[in-house]
Amino acid sequence: DQQVKQNSPSLSVQEGRISILNCDYTNSMFDYFLWYKKYPAEGPTFLISISSIKDKNEDGRFTVFLNKSAKHLSLHIVPSQPGDSAVYFCAASFRGTYKYIFGTGTRLKVLA
Amino acid sequence: DAGVIQSPRHEVTEMGQEVTLRCKPISGHNSLFWYRQTMMRGLELLIYFNNNVPIDDSGMPEDRFSAKMPNASFSTLKIQPSEPRDSAVYFCASSSDREGTDTQYFGPGTRLTVL
């Protein structure tokens, strides 16, 4: 049973537009969430995180939103660039523990 | 600084053979993780070491899988005997719980194909 779900396996967006990647989780006790980006033939790299005490965290073009009541988080990329084309994994965790529960990933393609 | 190093990058083997995957974590990191990535299940944690000691191996699929960490700079994941369903990308990651962050840094992965 997947505790972290990314229901869209792929997404295509025009360059300059907003990309929105979604993630749902089932365990309301998770208190720390992360997004990782993965290019082909490379390992995942940390992108951005958010604690459950916040509902938004920004880092440049990347913003993560957390809706605890809906057990939903999303990653917004504005504006999208061709170099953002990658697989994006969301993960949930209990802060201070080691265990990340990853989703299955969403492949983003940004069209030039 | 060198990141997490994994070898080999690709491994093709026949069913029944032993496979050994290797990992060198980032220097100074004291936590090490082995993950497996498949299309159906995404990234799954197989085993977690802290200060070279296995803490959680609940993700190891079965007895055919074993992992060791003889010192702070080296870990192996062994599959014996290998089966076609073990075909996947295996990642090693490391982190430091002494830096006040638990961000995990991943290696480039080993793509394993079992024929």
Side-chain angles (χ1 to χ4, degrees), chain A residues 32 36 38 41-44 46 89 95-100 102-104, chain B residues 9 33 35 37 40-43 45 48 56 58 91 102-104 106-108:
Chain A
Y32 188 58
Y36 275 75
K38 184 185 178 305
E42 295 183 12
F46 171 74
F89 291 96
R95 193 68 199 259
T97 70
Y98 60 89
K99 200 150 192 174
Y100 291 0
F102 282 91
T104 51
Chain B
R9 293 295 308 275
F33 310 81
Y35 286 88
Q37 183 194 3
M40 292 299 296
R41 300 179 68 86
L43 279 161
L45 178 65
Y48 158 61
D56 181 356
S58 60
F91 290 102
D102 50 8
T103 301
Q104 296 180 19
F106 283 76

PDB file of all heavy atoms in Angstrom, chain A residues 32 36 38 41-44 46 89 95-100 102-104, chain B residues 9 33 35 37 40-43 45 48 56 58 91 102-104 106-108:
ATOM      1  N   TYR A  32       7.307  16.068   7.712  1.00  0.00           N
ATOM      2  CA  TYR A  32       8.383  16.660   6.907  1.00  0.00           C
ATOM      3  C   TYR A  32       8.273  16.095   5.511  1.00  0.00           C
ATOM      4  O   TYR A  32       8.105  14.877   5.339  1.00  0.00           O
ATOM      5  CB  TYR A  32       9.731  16.324   7.539  1.00  0.00           C
ATOM      6  CG  TYR A  32      10.929  17.017   6.934  1.00  0.00           C
ATOM      7  CD1 TYR A  32      11.005  18.402   6.883  1.00  0.00           C
ATOM      8  CD2 TYR A  32      12.010  16.292   6.447  1.00  0.00           C
ATOM      9  CE1 TYR A  32      12.109  19.043   6.353  1.00  0.00           C
ATOM     10  CE2 TYR A  32      13.116  16.917   5.920  1.00  0.00           C
ATOM     11  CZ  TYR A  32      13.158  18.294   5.865  1.00  0.00           C
ATOM     12  OH  TYR A  32      14.248  18.939   5.351  1.00  0.00           O
ATOM     13  N   TYR A  36      12.607  15.699  -4.599  1.00  0.00           N
ATOM     14  CA  TYR A  36      13.876  15.399  -5.226  1.00  0.00           C
ATOM     15  C   TYR A  36      13.681  15.429  -6.737  1.00  0.00           C
ATOM     16  O   TYR A  36      12.612  15.080  -7.251  1.00  0.00           O
ATOM     17  CB  TYR A  36      14.378  14.003  -4.815  1.00  0.00           C
ATOM     18  CG  TYR A  36      15.146  13.948  -3.518  1.00  0.00           C
ATOM     19  CD1 TYR A  36      14.491  14.047  -2.291  1.00  0.00           C
ATOM     20  CD2 TYR A  36      16.525  13.785  -3.514  1.00  0.00           C
ATOM     21  CE1 TYR A  36      15.201  13.996  -1.106  1.00  0.00           C
ATOM     22  CE2 TYR A  36      17.240  13.724  -2.329  1.00  0.00           C
ATOM     23  CZ  TYR A  36      16.572  13.830  -1.139  1.00  0.00           C
ATOM     24  OH  TYR A  36      17.277  13.779   0.045  1.00  0.00           O
ATOM     25  N   LYS A  38      15.378  14.123 -10.460  1.00  0.00           N
ATOM     26  CA  LYS A  38      16.294  13.112 -10.992  1.00  0.00           C
ATOM     27  C   LYS A  38      16.413  13.235 -12.505  1.00  0.00           C
ATOM     28  O   LYS A  38      15.417  13.121 -13.234  1.00  0.00           O
ATOM     29  CB  LYS A  38      15.798  11.702 -10.636  1.00  0.00           C
ATOM     30  CG  LYS A  38      16.750  10.611 -11.078  1.00  0.00           C
ATOM     31  CD  LYS A  38      16.191   9.245 -10.838  1.00  0.00           C
ATOM     32  CE  LYS A  38      17.155   8.173 -11.337  1.00  0.00           C
ATOM     33  NZ  LYS A  38      17.527   8.345 -12.749  1.00  0.00           N
ATOM     34  N   ALA A  41      20.267   8.740 -15.737  1.00  0.00           N
ATOM     35  CA  ALA A  41      21.600   8.222 -15.425  1.00  0.00           C
ATOM     36  C   ALA A  41      22.264   8.949 -14.255  1.00  0.00           C
ATOM     37  O   ALA A  41      23.487   8.859 -14.080  1.00  0.00           O
ATOM     38  CB  ALA A  41      22.524   8.276 -16.646  1.00  0.00           C
ATOM     39  N   GLU A  42      21.481   9.668 -13.471  1.00  0.00           N
ATOM     40  CA  GLU A  42      22.006  10.313 -12.266  1.00  0.00           C
ATOM     41  C   GLU A  42      21.141   9.924 -11.074  1.00  0.00           C
ATOM     42  O   GLU A  42      20.011   9.444 -11.232  1.00  0.00           O
ATOM     43  CB  GLU A  42      22.009  11.835 -12.409  1.00  0.00           C
ATOM     44  CG  GLU A  42      22.945  12.354 -13.482  1.00  0.00           C
ATOM     45  CD  GLU A  42      22.961  13.869 -13.528  1.00  0.00           C
ATOM     46  OE1 GLU A  42      22.437  14.505 -12.591  1.00  0.00           O
ATOM     47  OE2 GLU A  42      23.503  14.411 -14.499  1.00  0.00           O
ATOM     48  N   GLY A  43      21.673  10.132  -9.877  1.00  0.00           N
ATOM     49  CA  GLY A  43      20.874   9.902  -8.692  1.00  0.00           C
ATOM     50  C   GLY A  43      19.956  11.076  -8.410  1.00  0.00           C
ATOM     51  O   GLY A  43      20.177  12.179  -8.914  1.00  0.00           O
ATOM     52  N   PRO A  44      18.922  10.852  -7.607  1.00  0.00           N
ATOM     53  CA  PRO A  44      18.047  11.963  -7.215  1.00  0.00           C
ATOM     54  C   PRO A  44      18.831  13.025  -6.443  1.00  0.00           C
ATOM     55  O   PRO A  44      19.725  12.692  -5.653  1.00  0.00           O
ATOM     56  CB  PRO A  44      17.006  11.301  -6.311  1.00  0.00           C
ATOM     57  CG  PRO A  44      17.043   9.845  -6.668  1.00  0.00           C
ATOM     58  CD  PRO A  44      18.468   9.574  -7.046  1.00  0.00           C
ATOM     59  N   PHE A  46      18.354  16.555  -3.976  1.00  0.00           N
ATOM     60  CA  PHE A  46      17.413  17.297  -3.143  1.00  0.00           C
ATOM     61  C   PHE A  46      17.067  18.632  -3.786  1.00  0.00           C
ATOM     62  O   PHE A  46      17.948  19.346  -4.277  1.00  0.00           O
ATOM     63  CB  PHE A  46      18.022  17.523  -1.759  1.00  0.00           C
ATOM     64  CG  PHE A  46      17.227  18.447  -0.891  1.00  0.00           C
ATOM     65  CD1 PHE A  46      16.048  18.025  -0.320  1.00  0.00           C
ATOM     66  CD2 PHE A  46      17.660  19.749  -0.657  1.00  0.00           C
ATOM     67  CE1 PHE A  46      15.310  18.885   0.473  1.00  0.00           C
ATOM     68  CE2 PHE A  46      16.928  20.610   0.130  1.00  0.00           C
ATOM     69  CZ  PHE A  46      15.752  20.170   0.703  1.00  0.00           C
ATOM     70  N   PHE A  89      10.428  13.336  -7.603  1.00  0.00           N
ATOM     71  CA  PHE A  89       9.912  12.456  -6.563  1.00  0.00           C
ATOM     72  C   PHE A  89       9.530  13.292  -5.347  1.00  0.00           C
ATOM     73  O   PHE A  89      10.306  14.148  -4.902  1.00  0.00           O
ATOM     74  CB  PHE A  89      10.985  11.449  -6.119  1.00  0.00           C
ATOM     75  CG  PHE A  89      11.335  10.416  -7.140  1.00  0.00           C
ATOM     76  CD1 PHE A  89      12.437  10.598  -7.975  1.00  0.00           C
ATOM     77  CD2 PHE A  89      10.592   9.252  -7.263  1.00  0.00           C
ATOM     78  CE1 PHE A  89      12.778   9.638  -8.923  1.00  0.00           C
ATOM     79  CE2 PHE A  89      10.926   8.289  -8.201  1.00  0.00           C
ATOM     80  CZ  PHE A  89      12.010   8.483  -9.034  1.00  0.00           C
ATOM     81  N   ARG A  95      10.145  14.042  10.988  1.00  0.00           N
ATOM     82  CA  ARG A  95      11.329  14.871  11.188  1.00  0.00           C
ATOM     83  C   ARG A  95      12.237  14.285  12.257  1.00  0.00           C
ATOM     84  O   ARG A  95      11.766  13.878  13.314  1.00  0.00           O
ATOM     85  CB  ARG A  95      10.931  16.298  11.597  1.00  0.00           C
ATOM     86  CG  ARG A  95      12.091  17.302  11.509  1.00  0.00           C
ATOM     87  CD  ARG A  95      12.465  17.491  10.083  1.00  0.00           C
ATOM     88  NE  ARG A  95      13.768  18.048   9.857  1.00  0.00           N
ATOM     89  CZ  ARG A  95      14.004  19.311   9.551  1.00  0.00           C
ATOM     90  NH1 ARG A  95      13.015  20.182   9.513  1.00  0.00           N
ATOM     91  NH2 ARG A  95      15.217  19.718   9.313  1.00  0.00           N
ATOM     92  N   GLY A  96      13.521  14.253  11.937  1.00  0.00           N
ATOM     93  CA  GLY A  96      14.479  13.719  12.879  1.00  0.00           C
ATOM     94  C   GLY A  96      14.692  12.230  12.748  1.00  0.00           C
ATOM     95  O   GLY A  96      15.532  11.664  13.433  1.00  0.00           O
ATOM     96  N   THR A  97      13.944  11.601  11.862  1.00  0.00           N
ATOM     97  CA  THR A  97      14.169  10.182  11.593  1.00  0.00           C
ATOM     98  C   THR A  97      14.769  10.044  10.210  1.00  0.00           C
ATOM     99  O   THR A  97      14.793  10.979   9.419  1.00  0.00           O
ATOM    100  CB  THR A  97      12.881   9.356  11.680  1.00  0.00           C
ATOM    101  OG1 THR A  97      12.036   9.684  10.556  1.00  0.00           O
ATOM    102  CG2 THR A  97      12.129   9.652  12.962  1.00  0.00           C
ATOM    103  N   TYR A  98      15.200   8.859   9.908  1.00  0.00           N
ATOM    104  CA  TYR A  98      15.912   8.619   8.655  1.00  0.00           C
ATOM    105  C   TYR A  98      15.001   8.207   7.513  1.00  0.00           C
ATOM    106  O   TYR A  98      15.384   8.209   6.365  1.00  0.00           O
ATOM    107  CB  TYR A  98      16.933   7.507   8.881  1.00  0.00           C
ATOM    108  CG  TYR A  98      16.279   6.211   9.314  1.00  0.00           C
ATOM    109  CD1 TYR A  98      15.853   5.284   8.380  1.00  0.00           C
ATOM    110  CD2 TYR A  98      16.045   5.954  10.655  1.00  0.00           C
ATOM    111  CE1 TYR A  98      15.215   4.124   8.770  1.00  0.00           C
ATOM    112  CE2 TYR A  98      15.402   4.802  11.053  1.00  0.00           C
ATOM    113  CZ  TYR A  98      14.995   3.889  10.105  1.00  0.00           C
ATOM    114  OH  TYR A  98      14.363   2.753  10.497  1.00  0.00           O
ATOM    115  N   LYS A  99      13.791   7.814   7.844  1.00  0.00           N
ATOM    116  CA  LYS A  99      13.006   7.085   6.855  1.00  0.00           C
ATOM    117  C   LYS A  99      12.225   8.030   5.938  1.00  0.00           C
ATOM    118  O   LYS A  99      11.311   8.718   6.384  1.00  0.00           O
ATOM    119  CB  LYS A  99      12.044   6.142   7.549  1.00  0.00           C
ATOM    120  CG  LYS A  99      11.551   5.032   6.644  1.00  0.00           C
ATOM    121  CD  LYS A  99      11.232   3.783   7.444  1.00  0.00           C
ATOM    122  CE  LYS A  99      11.015   2.606   6.530  1.00  0.00           C
ATOM    123  NZ  LYS A  99      10.848   1.350   7.254  1.00  0.00           N
ATOM    124  N   TYR A 100      12.613   8.058   4.674  1.00  0.00           N
ATOM    125  CA  TYR A 100      11.856   8.774   3.663  1.00  0.00           C
ATOM    126  C   TYR A 100      10.971   7.766   2.951  1.00  0.00           C
ATOM    127  O   TYR A 100      11.445   6.710   2.516  1.00  0.00           O
ATOM    128  CB  TYR A 100      12.780   9.390   2.603  1.00  0.00           C
ATOM    129  CG  TYR A 100      13.655  10.531   3.053  1.00  0.00           C
ATOM    130  CD1 TYR A 100      13.647  11.016   4.350  1.00  0.00           C
ATOM    131  CD2 TYR A 100      14.513  11.132   2.149  1.00  0.00           C
ATOM    132  CE1 TYR A 100      14.458  12.068   4.730  1.00  0.00           C
ATOM    133  CE2 TYR A 100      15.327  12.189   2.512  1.00  0.00           C
ATOM    134  CZ  TYR A 100      15.295  12.650   3.805  1.00  0.00           C
ATOM    135  OH  TYR A 100      16.103  13.693   4.162  1.00  0.00           O
ATOM    136  N   PHE A 102       9.052   7.469  -0.420  1.00  0.00           N
ATOM    137  CA  PHE A 102       9.009   8.142  -1.714  1.00  0.00           C
ATOM    138  C   PHE A 102       7.785   7.745  -2.510  1.00  0.00           C
ATOM    139  O   PHE A 102       7.290   6.618  -2.408  1.00  0.00           O
ATOM    140  CB  PHE A 102      10.252   7.780  -2.544  1.00  0.00           C
ATOM    141  CG  PHE A 102      11.504   8.502  -2.142  1.00  0.00           C
ATOM    142  CD1 PHE A 102      12.362   7.960  -1.196  1.00  0.00           C
ATOM    143  CD2 PHE A 102      11.835   9.723  -2.711  1.00  0.00           C
ATOM    144  CE1 PHE A 102      13.525   8.623  -0.826  1.00  0.00           C
ATOM    145  CE2 PHE A 102      12.992  10.395  -2.348  1.00  0.00           C
ATOM    146  CZ  PHE A 102      13.836   9.838  -1.409  1.00  0.00           C
ATOM    147  N   GLY A 103       7.324   8.669  -3.340  1.00  0.00           N
ATOM    148  CA  GLY A 103       6.334   8.361  -4.356  1.00  0.00           C
ATOM    149  C   GLY A 103       7.003   7.728  -5.571  1.00  0.00           C
ATOM    150  O   GLY A 103       8.221   7.531  -5.590  1.00  0.00           O
ATOM    151  N   THR A 104       6.207   7.414  -6.567  1.00  0.00           N
ATOM    152  CA  THR A 104       6.726   6.729  -7.750  1.00  0.00           C
ATOM    153  C   THR A 104       7.287   7.686  -8.791  1.00  0.00           C
ATOM    154  O   THR A 104       7.859   7.249  -9.775  1.00  0.00           O
ATOM    155  CB  THR A 104       5.647   5.869  -8.404  1.00  0.00           C
ATOM    156  OG1 THR A 104       4.480   6.674  -8.590  1.00  0.00           O
ATOM    157  CG2 THR A 104       5.300   4.672  -7.537  1.00  0.00           C
TER     158      THR A 104
ATOM    159  N   ARG B   9      28.432   0.932 -12.550  1.00  0.00           N
ATOM    160  CA  ARG B   9      27.278   1.727 -12.962  1.00  0.00           C
ATOM    161  C   ARG B   9      26.228   0.860 -13.653  1.00  0.00           C
ATOM    162  O   ARG B   9      25.030   1.132 -13.583  1.00  0.00           O
ATOM    163  CB  ARG B   9      27.724   2.847 -13.898  1.00  0.00           C
ATOM    164  CG  ARG B   9      28.599   3.897 -13.237  1.00  0.00           C
ATOM    165  CD  ARG B   9      27.847   4.670 -12.161  1.00  0.00           C
ATOM    166  NE  ARG B   9      26.594   5.218 -12.655  1.00  0.00           N
ATOM    167  CZ  ARG B   9      26.470   6.370 -13.288  1.00  0.00           C
ATOM    168  NH1 ARG B   9      27.524   7.117 -13.520  1.00  0.00           N
ATOM    169  NH2 ARG B   9      25.269   6.788 -13.691  1.00  0.00           N
ATOM    170  N   PHE B  33      22.297   4.576   3.209  1.00  0.00           N
ATOM    171  CA  PHE B  33      21.034   3.970   2.803  1.00  0.00           C
ATOM    172  C   PHE B  33      21.223   3.241   1.470  1.00  0.00           C
ATOM    173  O   PHE B  33      21.913   3.743   0.587  1.00  0.00           O
ATOM    174  CB  PHE B  33      19.952   5.045   2.595  1.00  0.00           C
ATOM    175  CG  PHE B  33      19.821   6.010   3.737  1.00  0.00           C
ATOM    176  CD1 PHE B  33      20.686   7.082   3.873  1.00  0.00           C
ATOM    177  CD2 PHE B  33      18.813   5.855   4.678  1.00  0.00           C
ATOM    178  CE1 PHE B  33      20.567   7.984   4.923  1.00  0.00           C
ATOM    179  CE2 PHE B  33      18.680   6.744   5.731  1.00  0.00           C
ATOM    180  CZ  PHE B  33      19.555   7.810   5.854  1.00  0.00           C
ATOM    181  N   TYR B  35      18.735   1.945  -1.609  1.00  0.00           N
ATOM    182  CA  TYR B  35      17.392   2.013  -2.171  1.00  0.00           C
ATOM    183  C   TYR B  35      17.344   1.203  -3.464  1.00  0.00           C
ATOM    184  O   TYR B  35      18.348   1.011  -4.136  1.00  0.00           O
ATOM    185  CB  TYR B  35      17.022   3.456  -2.540  1.00  0.00           C
ATOM    186  CG  TYR B  35      16.703   4.378  -1.401  1.00  0.00           C
ATOM    187  CD1 TYR B  35      17.699   5.103  -0.765  1.00  0.00           C
ATOM    188  CD2 TYR B  35      15.386   4.563  -0.973  1.00  0.00           C
ATOM    189  CE1 TYR B  35      17.401   5.980   0.274  1.00  0.00           C
ATOM    190  CE2 TYR B  35      15.074   5.442   0.064  1.00  0.00           C
ATOM    191  CZ  TYR B  35      16.086   6.148   0.669  1.00  0.00           C
ATOM    192  OH  TYR B  35      15.787   7.025   1.690  1.00  0.00           O
ATOM    193  N   GLN B  37      15.001   1.241  -7.089  1.00  0.00           N
ATOM    194  CA  GLN B  37      14.004   1.968  -7.852  1.00  0.00           C
ATOM    195  C   GLN B  37      13.418   1.071  -8.927  1.00  0.00           C
ATOM    196  O   GLN B  37      14.148   0.515  -9.752  1.00  0.00           O
ATOM    197  CB  GLN B  37      14.592   3.210  -8.522  1.00  0.00           C
ATOM    198  CG  GLN B  37      13.538   4.026  -9.273  1.00  0.00           C
ATOM    199  CD  GLN B  37      14.124   5.051 -10.207  1.00  0.00           C
ATOM    200  OE1 GLN B  37      15.334   5.163 -10.374  1.00  0.00           O
ATOM    201  NE2 GLN B  37      13.259   5.827 -10.828  1.00  0.00           N
ATOM    202  N   MET B  40       7.153   0.335 -10.843  1.00  0.00           N
ATOM    203  CA  MET B  40       5.898   0.115 -10.123  1.00  0.00           C
ATOM    204  C   MET B  40       5.919   0.678  -8.718  1.00  0.00           C
ATOM    205  O   MET B  40       4.908   1.172  -8.222  1.00  0.00           O
ATOM    206  CB  MET B  40       5.601  -1.385 -10.055  1.00  0.00           C
ATOM    207  CG  MET B  40       5.268  -1.993 -11.400  1.00  0.00           C
ATOM    208  SD  MET B  40       3.789  -1.241 -12.114  1.00  0.00           S
ATOM    209  CE  MET B  40       2.549  -1.722 -10.930  1.00  0.00           C
ATOM    210  N   ARG B  41       7.049   0.627  -8.039  1.00  0.00           N
ATOM    211  CA  ARG B  41       7.091   0.965  -6.626  1.00  0.00           C
ATOM    212  C   ARG B  41       7.943   2.187  -6.314  1.00  0.00           C
ATOM    213  O   ARG B  41       8.057   2.585  -5.155  1.00  0.00           O
ATOM    214  CB  ARG B  41       7.599  -0.244  -5.838  1.00  0.00           C
ATOM    215  CG  ARG B  41       6.714  -1.483  -6.009  1.00  0.00           C
ATOM    216  CD  ARG B  41       7.273  -2.664  -5.243  1.00  0.00           C
ATOM    217  NE  ARG B  41       7.190  -2.458  -3.808  1.00  0.00           N
ATOM    218  CZ  ARG B  41       6.126  -2.741  -3.066  1.00  0.00           C
ATOM    219  NH1 ARG B  41       5.049  -3.248  -3.624  1.00  0.00           N
ATOM    220  NH2 ARG B  41       6.139  -2.525  -1.760  1.00  0.00           N
ATOM    221  N   GLY B  42       8.540   2.771  -7.336  1.00  0.00           N
ATOM    222  CA  GLY B  42       9.358   3.963  -7.100  1.00  0.00           C
ATOM    223  C   GLY B  42      10.609   3.622  -6.324  1.00  0.00           C
ATOM    224  O   GLY B  42      11.201   2.567  -6.485  1.00  0.00           O
ATOM    225  N   LEU B  43      11.008   4.526  -5.433  1.00  0.00           N
ATOM    226  CA  LEU B  43      12.210   4.347  -4.616  1.00  0.00           C
ATOM    227  C   LEU B  43      11.833   3.692  -3.290  1.00  0.00           C
ATOM    228  O   LEU B  43      11.082   4.246  -2.505  1.00  0.00           O
ATOM    229  CB  LEU B  43      12.863   5.697  -4.331  1.00  0.00           C
ATOM    230  CG  LEU B  43      13.738   6.287  -5.410  1.00  0.00           C
ATOM    231  CD1 LEU B  43      13.924   7.771  -5.189  1.00  0.00           C
ATOM    232  CD2 LEU B  43      15.086   5.596  -5.439  1.00  0.00           C
ATOM    233  N   LEU B  45      13.296   1.960   0.281  1.00  0.00           N
ATOM    234  CA  LEU B  45      14.443   1.791   1.170  1.00  0.00           C
ATOM    235  C   LEU B  45      14.643   0.310   1.465  1.00  0.00           C
ATOM    236  O   LEU B  45      13.721  -0.385   1.889  1.00  0.00           O
ATOM    237  CB  LEU B  45      14.214   2.545   2.477  1.00  0.00           C
ATOM    238  CG  LEU B  45      15.313   2.415   3.526  1.00  0.00           C
ATOM    239  CD1 LEU B  45      16.617   3.051   3.042  1.00  0.00           C
ATOM    240  CD2 LEU B  45      14.889   3.036   4.851  1.00  0.00           C
ATOM    241  N   TYR B  48      19.213   0.574   6.152  1.00  0.00           N
ATOM    242  CA  TYR B  48      19.771   1.812   6.671  1.00  0.00           C
ATOM    243  C   TYR B  48      20.850   1.467   7.697  1.00  0.00           C
ATOM    244  O   TYR B  48      20.622   0.655   8.599  1.00  0.00           O
ATOM    245  CB  TYR B  48      18.650   2.637   7.301  1.00  0.00           C
ATOM    246  CG  TYR B  48      19.059   3.669   8.316  1.00  0.00           C
ATOM    247  CD1 TYR B  48      19.909   4.712   7.978  1.00  0.00           C
ATOM    248  CD2 TYR B  48      18.591   3.610   9.625  1.00  0.00           C
ATOM    249  CE1 TYR B  48      20.269   5.671   8.910  1.00  0.00           C
ATOM    250  CE2 TYR B  48      18.944   4.568  10.571  1.00  0.00           C
ATOM    251  CZ  TYR B  48      19.788   5.594  10.198  1.00  0.00           C
ATOM    252  OH  TYR B  48      20.140   6.547  11.121  1.00  0.00           O
ATOM    253  N   ASP B  56      17.984  -0.685  10.307  1.00  0.00           N
ATOM    254  CA  ASP B  56      16.680  -1.087   9.785  1.00  0.00           C
ATOM    255  C   ASP B  56      16.895  -1.819   8.470  1.00  0.00           C
ATOM    256  O   ASP B  56      17.306  -1.222   7.486  1.00  0.00           O
ATOM    257  CB  ASP B  56      15.785   0.128   9.577  1.00  0.00           C
ATOM    258  CG  ASP B  56      14.400  -0.225   9.065  1.00  0.00           C
ATOM    259  OD1 ASP B  56      14.121  -1.411   8.795  1.00  0.00           O
ATOM    260  OD2 ASP B  56      13.573   0.696   8.928  1.00  0.00           O
ATOM    261  N   SER B  58      14.346  -3.833   7.294  1.00  0.00           N
ATOM    262  CA  SER B  58      13.005  -4.349   7.034  1.00  0.00           C
ATOM    263  C   SER B  58      12.620  -4.281   5.562  1.00  0.00           C
ATOM    264  O   SER B  58      11.700  -4.968   5.130  1.00  0.00           O
ATOM    265  CB  SER B  58      11.968  -3.599   7.875  1.00  0.00           C
ATOM    266  OG  SER B  58      11.985  -2.216   7.574  1.00  0.00           O
ATOM    267  N   PHE B  91      20.263   2.431  -5.686  1.00  0.00           N
ATOM    268  CA  PHE B  91      20.929   3.662  -5.276  1.00  0.00           C
ATOM    269  C   PHE B  91      21.458   3.518  -3.857  1.00  0.00           C
ATOM    270  O   PHE B  91      20.832   2.909  -2.991  1.00  0.00           O
ATOM    271  CB  PHE B  91      19.956   4.840  -5.302  1.00  0.00           C
ATOM    272  CG  PHE B  91      19.541   5.276  -6.677  1.00  0.00           C
ATOM    273  CD1 PHE B  91      18.309   4.916  -7.190  1.00  0.00           C
ATOM    274  CD2 PHE B  91      20.389   6.059  -7.449  1.00  0.00           C
ATOM    275  CE1 PHE B  91      17.924   5.323  -8.460  1.00  0.00           C
ATOM    276  CE2 PHE B  91      20.015   6.472  -8.719  1.00  0.00           C
ATOM    277  CZ  PHE B  91      18.774   6.098  -9.227  1.00  0.00           C
ATOM    278  N   ASP B 102      18.948  16.312   7.826  1.00  0.00           N
ATOM    279  CA  ASP B 102      18.890  14.892   7.498  1.00  0.00           C
ATOM    280  C   ASP B 102      18.743  14.684   5.996  1.00  0.00           C
ATOM    281  O   ASP B 102      18.276  13.655   5.565  1.00  0.00           O
ATOM    282  CB  ASP B 102      17.757  14.209   8.263  1.00  0.00           C
ATOM    283  CG  ASP B 102      16.448  14.957   8.121  1.00  0.00           C
ATOM    284  OD1 ASP B 102      16.392  15.913   7.319  1.00  0.00           O
ATOM    285  OD2 ASP B 102      15.490  14.607   8.819  1.00  0.00           O
ATOM    286  N   THR B 103      19.178  15.679   5.224  1.00  0.00           N
ATOM    287  CA  THR B 103      19.087  15.543   3.775  1.00  0.00           C
ATOM    288  C   THR B 103      19.946  14.386   3.311  1.00  0.00           C
ATOM    289  O   THR B 103      21.106  14.260   3.706  1.00  0.00           O
ATOM    290  CB  THR B 103      19.557  16.830   3.089  1.00  0.00           C
ATOM    291  OG1 THR B 103      18.731  17.913   3.533  1.00  0.00           O
ATOM    292  CG2 THR B 103      19.447  16.700   1.585  1.00  0.00           C
ATOM    293  N   GLN B 104      19.364  13.534   2.491  1.00  0.00           N
ATOM    294  CA  GLN B 104      20.089  12.391   1.951  1.00  0.00           C
ATOM    295  C   GLN B 104      20.636  12.747   0.568  1.00  0.00           C
ATOM    296  O   GLN B 104      19.940  13.319  -0.253  1.00  0.00           O
ATOM    297  CB  GLN B 104      19.148  11.184   1.860  1.00  0.00           C
ATOM    298  CG  GLN B 104      18.653  10.724   3.221  1.00  0.00           C
ATOM    299  CD  GLN B 104      17.732   9.537   3.139  1.00  0.00           C
ATOM    300  OE1 GLN B 104      17.700   8.818   2.140  1.00  0.00           O
ATOM    301  NE2 GLN B 104      16.971   9.304   4.206  1.00  0.00           N
ATOM    302  N   PHE B 106      22.279  11.230  -2.839  1.00  0.00           N
ATOM    303  CA  PHE B 106      22.266   9.982  -3.577  1.00  0.00           C
ATOM    304  C   PHE B 106      23.462   9.850  -4.524  1.00  0.00           C
ATOM    305  O   PHE B 106      23.937  10.839  -5.092  1.00  0.00           O
ATOM    306  CB  PHE B 106      20.989   9.878  -4.420  1.00  0.00           C
ATOM    307  CG  PHE B 106      19.761   9.526  -3.622  1.00  0.00           C
ATOM    308  CD1 PHE B 106      19.140  10.474  -2.825  1.00  0.00           C
ATOM    309  CD2 PHE B 106      19.236   8.246  -3.657  1.00  0.00           C
ATOM    310  CE1 PHE B 106      18.012  10.158  -2.085  1.00  0.00           C
ATOM    311  CE2 PHE B 106      18.109   7.918  -2.934  1.00  0.00           C
ATOM    312  CZ  PHE B 106      17.497   8.867  -2.143  1.00  0.00           C
ATOM    313  N   GLY B 107      23.890   8.618  -4.704  1.00  0.00           N
ATOM    314  CA  GLY B 107      24.858   8.303  -5.746  1.00  0.00           C
ATOM    315  C   GLY B 107      24.164   8.169  -7.090  1.00  0.00           C
ATOM    316  O   GLY B 107      22.938   8.279  -7.181  1.00  0.00           O
ATOM    317  N   PRO B 108      24.937   7.897  -8.144  1.00  0.00           N
ATOM    318  CA  PRO B 108      24.375   7.834  -9.498  1.00  0.00           C
ATOM    319  C   PRO B 108      23.603   6.553  -9.784  1.00  0.00           C
ATOM    320  O   PRO B 108      22.919   6.459 -10.790  1.00  0.00           O
ATOM    321  CB  PRO B 108      25.613   7.934 -10.399  1.00  0.00           C
ATOM    322  CG  PRO B 108      26.706   7.378  -9.572  1.00  0.00           C
ATOM    323  CD  PRO B 108      26.395   7.762  -8.153  1.00  0.00           C
TER     324      PRO B 108
END
